Amino acid sequence: MVYLTYPNISSKIYMLKIRQENKNDYEEVYNVIKKAFETAEHSDGNEHNLVVSLRNSSSFIPELSLVAIQDKKIVGHILFTKIKIGNNEELALAPIAVLPEYQKQGIGSKLIKEGNNIAKKLGYHYSIVLGSENYYPKFGYIPAIQFGIYAPFDVPSKNFMAIKLNEPDNKINGVVKYAKEFGI
Ligand SMILES: CC(C)(COP(=O)(O)OP(=O)(O)OC[C@H]1O[C@@H](n2cnc3c(N)ncnc32)[C@H](O)[C@@H]1OP(=O)(O)O)[C@@H](O)C(=O)NCCC(=O)NCCS
Protein backbone atom coordinates (compact mmCIF):
# COMPACT_ATOMS: atom_id res chain seq x y z
CA MET A 1 0.00 0.00 0.00
CA VAL A 2 1.24 3.49 -0.83
CA TYR A 3 0.78 6.25 1.68
CA LEU A 4 0.86 9.79 0.45
CA THR A 5 2.01 12.46 2.82
CA TYR A 6 0.62 15.94 2.47
CA PRO A 7 2.04 19.19 3.79
CA ASN A 8 0.45 20.37 7.02
CA ILE A 9 -2.82 21.79 5.73
CA SER A 10 -3.52 23.50 9.03
CA SER A 11 -0.80 25.88 7.91
CA LYS A 12 -3.15 27.64 5.51
CA ILE A 13 -0.58 30.01 4.11
CA TYR A 14 0.56 26.97 2.11
CA MET A 15 -2.69 27.20 0.12
CA LEU A 16 -2.26 30.89 -0.65
CA LYS A 17 -1.97 32.01 -4.25
CA ILE A 18 -0.94 35.48 -5.39
CA ARG A 19 -1.77 36.58 -8.93
CA GLN A 20 -2.45 39.65 -11.03
CA GLU A 21 -5.92 41.09 -10.58
CA ASN A 22 -8.30 40.89 -13.56
CA LYS A 23 -11.61 42.58 -14.42
CA ASN A 24 -13.68 39.74 -12.93
CA ASP A 25 -12.09 40.43 -9.54
CA TYR A 26 -13.06 44.11 -9.27
CA GLU A 27 -16.24 43.68 -7.23
CA GLU A 28 -14.68 41.20 -4.80
CA VAL A 29 -11.60 43.39 -4.39
CA TYR A 30 -13.84 46.40 -3.70
CA ASN A 31 -15.45 44.52 -0.81
CA VAL A 32 -12.14 43.21 0.55
CA ILE A 33 -10.71 46.74 0.72
CA LYS A 34 -13.89 48.16 2.25
CA LYS A 35 -14.01 45.49 4.96
CA ALA A 36 -10.29 45.65 5.73
CA PHE A 37 -10.34 49.40 6.27
CA GLU A 38 -13.53 49.39 8.37
CA THR A 39 -11.43 48.15 11.29
CA ALA A 40 -8.14 49.82 10.32
CA GLU A 41 -6.22 52.13 12.62
CA HIS A 42 -5.90 54.80 9.92
CA SER A 43 -8.56 55.18 7.24
CA ASP A 44 -10.48 57.88 5.43
CA GLY A 45 -13.20 55.33 4.65
CA ASN A 46 -12.65 55.80 0.94
CA GLU A 47 -9.81 53.42 0.06
CA HIS A 48 -12.10 51.09 -1.94
CA ASN A 49 -13.22 54.01 -4.13
CA LEU A 50 -9.66 55.28 -4.47
CA VAL A 51 -8.68 51.96 -6.05
CA VAL A 52 -11.53 52.25 -8.56
CA SER A 53 -10.29 55.73 -9.56
CA LEU A 54 -6.65 54.64 -9.71
CA ARG A 55 -7.49 51.73 -12.03
CA ASN A 56 -8.92 54.25 -14.49
CA SER A 57 -5.91 56.57 -14.27
CA SER A 58 -2.62 56.77 -16.15
CA SER A 59 -0.82 55.82 -12.93
CA PHE A 60 -2.25 52.28 -13.05
CA ILE A 61 0.06 49.33 -13.76
CA PRO A 62 -1.98 46.12 -14.24
CA GLU A 63 0.98 43.90 -13.26
CA LEU A 64 1.12 45.67 -9.89
CA SER A 65 -2.47 45.17 -8.84
CA LEU A 66 -2.30 41.79 -7.11
CA VAL A 67 -4.81 39.60 -5.33
CA ALA A 68 -4.29 36.90 -2.71
CA ILE A 69 -6.55 33.87 -3.09
CA GLN A 70 -7.31 31.45 -0.29
CA ASP A 71 -10.31 29.16 0.28
CA LYS A 72 -11.27 29.88 -3.37
CA LYS A 73 -11.89 33.57 -2.65
CA ILE A 74 -10.01 36.84 -2.71
CA VAL A 75 -8.74 37.58 0.79
CA GLY A 76 -6.22 40.32 0.07
CA HIS A 77 -5.20 42.97 -2.45
CA ILE A 78 -2.22 45.25 -3.01
CA LEU A 79 -1.74 48.11 -5.44
CA PHE A 80 1.35 50.03 -6.52
CA THR A 81 0.80 53.10 -8.71
CA LYS A 82 3.13 55.44 -10.59
CA ILE A 83 4.45 58.52 -8.85
CA LYS A 84 6.91 61.20 -9.92
CA ILE A 85 10.05 62.19 -8.05
CA GLY A 86 11.50 64.99 -10.15
CA ASN A 87 11.65 63.52 -13.66
CA ASN A 88 11.79 59.95 -12.40
CA GLU A 89 8.79 57.66 -12.55
CA GLU A 90 8.68 55.50 -9.43
CA LEU A 91 6.05 53.70 -7.36
CA ALA A 92 3.81 54.16 -4.34
CA LEU A 93 2.48 51.14 -2.48
CA ALA A 94 -1.12 52.00 -1.50
CA PRO A 95 -3.39 50.62 -0.44
CA ILE A 96 -2.88 47.11 0.90
CA ALA A 97 -5.81 45.25 2.42
CA VAL A 98 -6.41 41.81 3.92
CA LEU A 99 -9.85 40.66 5.12
CA PRO A 100 -9.97 41.02 8.93
CA GLU A 101 -10.53 37.29 9.52
CA TYR A 102 -7.44 36.47 7.41
CA GLN A 103 -5.07 38.99 8.98
CA LYS A 104 -1.92 38.04 10.92
CA GLN A 105 -1.40 34.91 8.83
CA GLY A 106 1.35 36.31 6.63
CA ILE A 107 -0.88 37.25 3.66
CA GLY A 108 0.01 40.96 3.74
CA SER A 109 3.69 40.03 3.89
CA LYS A 110 3.39 37.78 0.84
CA LEU A 111 1.58 40.49 -1.14
CA ILE A 112 4.27 43.07 -0.34
CA LYS A 113 7.16 40.72 -1.15
CA GLU A 114 5.60 39.60 -4.43
CA GLY A 115 4.74 43.20 -5.35
CA ASN A 116 8.28 44.37 -4.63
CA ASN A 117 9.69 41.51 -6.74
CA ILE A 118 7.51 42.35 -9.72
CA ALA A 119 8.29 46.08 -9.36
CA LYS A 120 12.00 45.26 -9.36
CA LYS A 121 11.66 43.14 -12.52
CA LEU A 122 9.74 45.98 -14.19
CA GLY A 123 12.80 48.18 -13.59
CA TYR A 124 11.48 50.68 -11.05
CA HIS A 125 14.10 52.13 -8.69
CA TYR A 126 12.00 52.96 -5.65
CA SER A 127 8.70 52.10 -4.05
CA ILE A 128 7.45 54.44 -1.35
CA VAL A 129 4.89 53.83 1.35
CA LEU A 130 3.17 55.84 4.05
CA GLY A 131 2.49 53.69 7.08
CA SER A 132 3.58 51.94 10.23
CA GLU A 133 7.27 52.04 11.08
CA ASN A 134 6.73 48.65 12.75
CA TYR A 135 5.43 46.89 9.63
CA TYR A 136 7.10 48.00 6.38
CA PRO A 137 10.74 47.81 7.59
CA LYS A 138 10.23 44.01 7.70
CA PHE A 139 10.29 44.15 3.90
CA GLY A 140 13.25 46.51 3.55
CA TYR A 141 11.47 49.88 3.65
CA ILE A 142 13.43 52.62 5.45
CA PRO A 143 12.73 56.35 5.92
CA ALA A 144 12.56 57.78 2.39
CA ILE A 145 14.52 60.83 3.48
CA GLN A 146 17.60 58.57 3.50
CA PHE A 147 17.26 58.30 -0.31
CA GLY A 148 16.56 62.03 -0.76
CA ILE A 149 12.85 61.34 -1.25
CA TYR A 150 10.46 63.70 0.55
CA ALA A 151 6.73 63.59 1.34
CA PRO A 152 4.44 66.23 -0.16
CA PHE A 153 2.76 66.62 3.26
CA ASP A 154 3.80 66.87 6.89
CA VAL A 155 4.55 63.44 8.30
CA PRO A 156 7.10 62.01 10.73
CA SER A 157 10.01 60.79 8.60
CA LYS A 158 9.80 57.32 10.15
CA ASN A 159 6.34 56.86 8.59
CA PHE A 160 7.24 57.93 5.06
CA MET A 161 9.37 55.07 3.81
CA ALA A 162 10.96 53.78 0.63
CA ILE A 163 12.76 50.71 -0.62
CA LYS A 164 15.42 50.77 -3.32
CA LEU A 165 14.53 48.13 -5.92
CA ASN A 166 17.14 48.95 -8.59
CA GLU A 167 20.08 51.36 -8.62
CA PRO A 168 18.96 54.56 -10.39
CA ASP A 169 21.14 56.00 -13.21
CA ASN A 170 20.78 59.51 -11.85
CA LYS A 171 20.75 60.81 -8.28
CA ILE A 172 17.15 61.01 -7.15
CA ASN A 173 16.27 63.92 -4.92
CA GLY A 174 12.88 65.50 -4.60
CA VAL A 175 9.33 65.64 -3.37
CA VAL A 176 6.92 62.86 -4.33
CA LYS A 177 4.10 63.74 -6.67
CA TYR A 178 1.28 61.21 -6.23
CA ALA A 179 -1.35 60.45 -8.87
CA LYS A 180 -3.98 63.21 -8.69
CA GLU A 181 -6.59 60.60 -7.65
CA PHE A 182 -4.99 60.57 -4.19
CA GLY A 183 -6.16 64.17 -3.79
CA ILE A 184 -2.86 65.23 -2.23
C1 LIG B 1 -1.89 45.92 7.14
C2 LIG B 1 -2.40 44.57 6.69
C3 LIG B 1 -2.52 44.56 5.18
C4 LIG B 1 -1.41 43.49 7.13
O1 LIG B 1 -1.84 42.27 6.60
P1 LIG B 1 -1.62 40.91 7.39
O2 LIG B 1 -1.91 39.80 6.44
O3 LIG B 1 -2.37 40.94 8.66
O4 LIG B 1 -0.06 41.02 7.68
P2 LIG B 1 0.94 39.85 8.05
O5 LIG B 1 0.19 38.68 8.57
O6 LIG B 1 1.84 39.62 6.90
O7 LIG B 1 1.78 40.54 9.18
C5 LIG B 1 1.19 40.67 10.42
C6 LIG B 1 2.16 41.38 11.33
O8 LIG B 1 2.20 42.75 11.00
C7 LIG B 1 1.72 43.52 12.08
N1 LIG B 1 0.90 44.58 11.55
C8 LIG B 1 -0.13 44.47 10.71
N2 LIG B 1 -0.65 45.69 10.46
C9 LIG B 1 0.08 46.57 11.17
C10 LIG B 1 0.03 47.97 11.34
N3 LIG B 1 -0.87 48.75 10.72
N4 LIG B 1 0.94 48.54 12.16
C11 LIG B 1 1.87 47.79 12.77
N5 LIG B 1 1.97 46.46 12.66
C12 LIG B 1 1.07 45.87 11.87
C13 LIG B 1 0.90 42.57 12.90
O9 LIG B 1 0.79 42.99 14.23
C14 LIG B 1 1.68 41.29 12.75
O10 LIG B 1 2.82 41.32 13.56
P3 LIG B 1 3.43 39.96 14.16
O11 LIG B 1 3.78 39.11 12.97
O12 LIG B 1 4.61 40.43 14.92
O13 LIG B 1 2.32 39.40 14.97
C15 LIG B 1 -3.78 44.23 7.32
O14 LIG B 1 -3.66 44.30 8.72
C16 LIG B 1 -4.90 45.15 6.87
O15 LIG B 1 -5.56 44.90 5.86
N6 LIG B 1 -5.17 46.20 7.65
C17 LIG B 1 -6.25 47.12 7.33
C18 LIG B 1 -5.89 48.00 6.16
C19 LIG B 1 -4.61 48.79 6.43
O16 LIG B 1 -4.43 49.36 7.50
N7 LIG B 1 -3.71 48.80 5.43
C20 LIG B 1 -2.43 49.46 5.58
C21 LIG B 1 -2.47 50.88 5.20
S1 LIG B 1 -2.50 51.07 3.43
Side-chain angles (χ1 to χ4, degrees), residues 61-78:
I61 307 160
E63 295 92 330
L64 285 172
S65 187
L66 305 176
V67 290
I69 318 273
Q70 195 166 291
D71 303 332
K72 295 186 179 156
K73 63 178 183 182
I74 294 173
V75 297
H77 173 257
I78 191 169

Side-chain angles (χ1 to χ4, degrees), residues 71-87:
D71 303 332
K72 295 186 179 156
K73 63 178 183 182
I74 294 173
V75 297
H77 173 257
I78 191 169
L79 180 65
F80 297 73
T81 47
K82 293 177 198 165
I83 54 165
K84 281 281 189 143
I85 309 170
N87 289 326

Side-chain angles (χ1 to χ4, degrees), residues 13-28:
I13 195 75
Y14 156 76
M15 312 291 282
L16 188 77
K17 182 181 165 191
I18 309 267
R19 64 157 170 79
Q20 184 177 325
E21 178 197 50
N22 65 53
K23 286 194 165 101
N24 299 328
D25 301 325
Y26 288 178
E27 197 180 330
E28 221 179 328

Side-chain angles (χ1 to χ4, degrees), residues 129 131-134 137 141-145 155-161:
V129 70
S132 168
E133 74 279 20
N134 298 319
Y141 284 79
I142 61 171
I145 199 168
V155 61
S157 60
K158 65 179 192 301
N159 296 121
F160 191 73
M161 294 165 270

